[in-house]
Amino acid sequence: MKKQLLRLGAILLAVGGPAISHAANLPPLAALLDCKGEASGVAAYVDALEDGGLPGWSKNDELSGFASAVYRTPKPVSVAGLPTSDVRFGDYQLGNYTAYGITSATDVNAVASQLGLRGVAGRGLARESARGAWIVAREYKGRVELGCEYPNPRLGGQKGTPAR
């Protein structure tokens, strides 16, 4: 019986190994979106999605663009009090690590005002959060994209955050 369970476990790991192991090690998505995580959390989600996906996640072709994939989460999460089921992770290879929720809100100025965001050169509507991270709101395909921009540790960003 024990051998059968071990074989079954090995088969499950072989079939769904990357997705299962990644999902168990991911930080909470809502915390990442609200600048309460670490840059390494963005890389963990990107790696998991590139390594075969995450259980229940799917690519949203309607919102995805060239070099900018948007993923639908299995259940909605909150970003600054707004619900979202669509998430976009920025390219952390050359720039900062970013995680954005694409909300159903359509007035970026109203959202920015509610969150105390202001125009910041190079970031749009934003405000500094903790440890060099920025809460950012912008328009994305007619909807408000809201999330966090973490400093890239490879580019002299936040100290203590390991590069992947």
PDB file of all heavy atoms in Angstrom, residues 100-117:
ATOM      1  N   TYR A 100       0.319  44.259 -11.464  1.00  0.00           N
ATOM      2  CA  TYR A 100      -0.855  45.124 -11.589  1.00  0.00           C
ATOM      3  C   TYR A 100      -2.122  44.298 -11.678  1.00  0.00           C
ATOM      4  O   TYR A 100      -2.166  43.290 -12.382  1.00  0.00           O
ATOM      5  CB  TYR A 100      -0.778  45.972 -12.861  1.00  0.00           C
ATOM      6  CG  TYR A 100       0.389  46.908 -12.926  1.00  0.00           C
ATOM      7  CD1 TYR A 100       1.414  46.701 -13.832  1.00  0.00           C
ATOM      8  CD2 TYR A 100       0.469  48.015 -12.096  1.00  0.00           C
ATOM      9  CE1 TYR A 100       2.497  47.563 -13.914  1.00  0.00           C
ATOM     10  CE2 TYR A 100       1.545  48.881 -12.164  1.00  0.00           C
ATOM     11  CZ  TYR A 100       2.550  48.642 -13.077  1.00  0.00           C
ATOM     12  OH  TYR A 100       3.618  49.501 -13.142  1.00  0.00           O
ATOM     13  N   GLY A 101      -3.161  44.766 -11.017  1.00  0.00           N
ATOM     14  CA  GLY A 101      -4.493  44.205 -11.190  1.00  0.00           C
ATOM     15  C   GLY A 101      -5.251  45.134 -12.122  1.00  0.00           C
ATOM     16  O   GLY A 101      -5.197  46.353 -11.973  1.00  0.00           O
ATOM     17  N   ILE A 102      -5.931  44.571 -13.099  1.00  0.00           N
ATOM     18  CA  ILE A 102      -6.720  45.376 -14.023  1.00  0.00           C
ATOM     19  C   ILE A 102      -8.148  45.351 -13.502  1.00  0.00           C
ATOM     20  O   ILE A 102      -8.814  44.312 -13.534  1.00  0.00           O
ATOM     21  CB  ILE A 102      -6.614  44.839 -15.461  1.00  0.00           C
ATOM     22  CG1 ILE A 102      -5.146  44.862 -15.877  1.00  0.00           C
ATOM     23  CG2 ILE A 102      -7.467  45.677 -16.406  1.00  0.00           C
ATOM     24  CD1 ILE A 102      -4.847  44.133 -17.162  1.00  0.00           C
ATOM     25  N   THR A 103      -8.583  46.477 -12.967  1.00  0.00           N
ATOM     26  CA  THR A 103      -9.881  46.570 -12.301  1.00  0.00           C
ATOM     27  C   THR A 103     -10.976  46.890 -13.307  1.00  0.00           C
ATOM     28  O   THR A 103     -10.707  47.174 -14.472  1.00  0.00           O
ATOM     29  CB  THR A 103      -9.846  47.664 -11.216  1.00  0.00           C
ATOM     30  OG1 THR A 103      -9.771  48.949 -11.848  1.00  0.00           O
ATOM     31  CG2 THR A 103      -8.660  47.476 -10.272  1.00  0.00           C
ATOM     32  N   SER A 104     -12.214  46.892 -12.841  1.00  0.00           N
ATOM     33  CA  SER A 104     -13.333  47.266 -13.712  1.00  0.00           C
ATOM     34  C   SER A 104     -13.549  48.778 -13.706  1.00  0.00           C
ATOM     35  O   SER A 104     -14.348  49.297 -14.482  1.00  0.00           O
ATOM     36  CB  SER A 104     -14.611  46.544 -13.280  1.00  0.00           C
ATOM     37  OG  SER A 104     -14.934  46.894 -11.946  1.00  0.00           O
ATOM     38  N   ALA A 105     -12.839  49.511 -12.841  1.00  0.00           N
ATOM     39  CA  ALA A 105     -12.947  50.976 -12.810  1.00  0.00           C
ATOM     40  C   ALA A 105     -12.464  51.549 -14.142  1.00  0.00           C
ATOM     41  O   ALA A 105     -11.561  50.984 -14.777  1.00  0.00           O
ATOM     42  CB  ALA A 105     -12.122  51.543 -11.657  1.00  0.00           C
ATOM     43  N   THR A 106     -13.050  52.660 -14.558  1.00  0.00           N
ATOM     44  CA  THR A 106     -12.676  53.264 -15.835  1.00  0.00           C
ATOM     45  C   THR A 106     -12.139  54.685 -15.687  1.00  0.00           C
ATOM     46  O   THR A 106     -11.625  55.247 -16.644  1.00  0.00           O
ATOM     47  CB  THR A 106     -13.876  53.287 -16.802  1.00  0.00           C
ATOM     48  OG1 THR A 106     -14.960  53.988 -16.176  1.00  0.00           O
ATOM     49  CG2 THR A 106     -14.316  51.868 -17.158  1.00  0.00           C
ATOM     50  N   ASP A 107     -12.232  55.280 -14.499  1.00  0.00           N
ATOM     51  CA  ASP A 107     -11.770  56.653 -14.288  1.00  0.00           C
ATOM     52  C   ASP A 107     -10.494  56.648 -13.454  1.00  0.00           C
ATOM     53  O   ASP A 107     -10.530  56.619 -12.224  1.00  0.00           O
ATOM     54  CB  ASP A 107     -12.867  57.473 -13.607  1.00  0.00           C
ATOM     55  CG  ASP A 107     -12.534  58.951 -13.494  1.00  0.00           C
ATOM     56  OD1 ASP A 107     -11.360  59.345 -13.693  1.00  0.00           O
ATOM     57  OD2 ASP A 107     -13.467  59.727 -13.198  1.00  0.00           O
ATOM     58  N   VAL A 108      -9.357  56.682 -14.144  1.00  0.00           N
ATOM     59  CA  VAL A 108      -8.071  56.603 -13.453  1.00  0.00           C
ATOM     60  C   VAL A 108      -7.862  57.795 -12.522  1.00  0.00           C
ATOM     61  O   VAL A 108      -7.270  57.644 -11.448  1.00  0.00           O
ATOM     62  CB  VAL A 108      -6.906  56.443 -14.454  1.00  0.00           C
ATOM     63  CG1 VAL A 108      -6.680  57.698 -15.257  1.00  0.00           C
ATOM     64  CG2 VAL A 108      -5.638  56.001 -13.744  1.00  0.00           C
ATOM     65  N   ASN A 109      -8.367  58.957 -12.880  1.00  0.00           N
ATOM     66  CA  ASN A 109      -8.194  60.132 -12.023  1.00  0.00           C
ATOM     67  C   ASN A 109      -8.971  60.000 -10.724  1.00  0.00           C
ATOM     68  O   ASN A 109      -8.493  60.405  -9.662  1.00  0.00           O
ATOM     69  CB  ASN A 109      -8.587  61.406 -12.772  1.00  0.00           C
ATOM     70  CG  ASN A 109      -7.603  61.718 -13.879  1.00  0.00           C
ATOM     71  OD1 ASN A 109      -6.399  61.583 -13.714  1.00  0.00           O
ATOM     72  ND2 ASN A 109      -8.122  62.112 -15.032  1.00  0.00           N
ATOM     73  N   ALA A 110     -10.164  59.419 -10.773  1.00  0.00           N
ATOM     74  CA  ALA A 110     -10.955  59.221  -9.554  1.00  0.00           C
ATOM     75  C   ALA A 110     -10.263  58.221  -8.629  1.00  0.00           C
ATOM     76  O   ALA A 110     -10.189  58.431  -7.410  1.00  0.00           O
ATOM     77  CB  ALA A 110     -12.360  58.737  -9.908  1.00  0.00           C
ATOM     78  N   VAL A 111      -9.747  57.139  -9.193  1.00  0.00           N
ATOM     79  CA  VAL A 111      -9.036  56.143  -8.388  1.00  0.00           C
ATOM     80  C   VAL A 111      -7.783  56.773  -7.778  1.00  0.00           C
ATOM     81  O   VAL A 111      -7.494  56.597  -6.593  1.00  0.00           O
ATOM     82  CB  VAL A 111      -8.678  54.900  -9.234  1.00  0.00           C
ATOM     83  CG1 VAL A 111      -7.733  53.973  -8.475  1.00  0.00           C
ATOM     84  CG2 VAL A 111      -9.943  54.157  -9.650  1.00  0.00           C
ATOM     85  N   ALA A 112      -7.038  57.522  -8.581  1.00  0.00           N
ATOM     86  CA  ALA A 112      -5.817  58.179  -8.095  1.00  0.00           C
ATOM     87  C   ALA A 112      -6.125  59.149  -6.968  1.00  0.00           C
ATOM     88  O   ALA A 112      -5.410  59.198  -5.963  1.00  0.00           O
ATOM     89  CB  ALA A 112      -5.118  58.893  -9.240  1.00  0.00           C
ATOM     90  N   SER A 113      -7.192  59.907  -7.116  1.00  0.00           N
ATOM     91  CA  SER A 113      -7.582  60.867  -6.077  1.00  0.00           C
ATOM     92  C   SER A 113      -7.940  60.141  -4.786  1.00  0.00           C
ATOM     93  O   SER A 113      -7.540  60.551  -3.699  1.00  0.00           O
ATOM     94  CB  SER A 113      -8.764  61.701  -6.573  1.00  0.00           C
ATOM     95  OG  SER A 113      -9.212  62.556  -5.566  1.00  0.00           O
ATOM     96  N   GLN A 114      -8.690  59.067  -4.902  1.00  0.00           N
ATOM     97  CA  GLN A 114      -9.108  58.282  -3.735  1.00  0.00           C
ATOM     98  C   GLN A 114      -7.903  57.694  -2.994  1.00  0.00           C
ATOM     99  O   GLN A 114      -7.901  57.593  -1.775  1.00  0.00           O
ATOM    100  CB  GLN A 114     -10.045  57.167  -4.190  1.00  0.00           C
ATOM    101  CG  GLN A 114     -10.570  56.295  -3.086  1.00  0.00           C
ATOM    102  CD  GLN A 114     -11.483  55.199  -3.626  1.00  0.00           C
ATOM    103  OE1 GLN A 114     -11.625  55.002  -4.832  1.00  0.00           O
ATOM    104  NE2 GLN A 114     -12.092  54.478  -2.724  1.00  0.00           N
ATOM    105  N   LEU A 115      -6.853  57.355  -3.731  1.00  0.00           N
ATOM    106  CA  LEU A 115      -5.680  56.717  -3.128  1.00  0.00           C
ATOM    107  C   LEU A 115      -4.546  57.701  -2.820  1.00  0.00           C
ATOM    108  O   LEU A 115      -3.485  57.300  -2.360  1.00  0.00           O
ATOM    109  CB  LEU A 115      -5.151  55.611  -4.047  1.00  0.00           C
ATOM    110  CG  LEU A 115      -6.109  54.450  -4.287  1.00  0.00           C
ATOM    111  CD1 LEU A 115      -5.530  53.492  -5.312  1.00  0.00           C
ATOM    112  CD2 LEU A 115      -6.427  53.733  -2.983  1.00  0.00           C
ATOM    113  N   GLY A 116      -4.762  58.976  -3.113  1.00  0.00           N
ATOM    114  CA  GLY A 116      -3.731  59.971  -2.837  1.00  0.00           C
ATOM    115  C   GLY A 116      -2.550  59.901  -3.789  1.00  0.00           C
ATOM    116  O   GLY A 116      -1.421  60.235  -3.414  1.00  0.00           O
ATOM    117  N   LEU A 117      -2.802  59.469  -5.017  1.00  0.00           N
ATOM    118  CA  LEU A 117      -1.724  59.382  -6.001  1.00  0.00           C
ATOM    119  C   LEU A 117      -1.589  60.717  -6.715  1.00  0.00           C
ATOM    120  O   LEU A 117      -2.557  61.452  -6.871  1.00  0.00           O
ATOM    121  CB  LEU A 117      -2.016  58.275  -7.021  1.00  0.00           C
ATOM    122  CG  LEU A 117      -2.345  56.892  -6.446  1.00  0.00           C
ATOM    123  CD1 LEU A 117      -2.584  55.903  -7.566  1.00  0.00           C
ATOM    124  CD2 LEU A 117      -1.263  56.410  -5.516  1.00  0.00           C
TER     125      LEU A 117
END
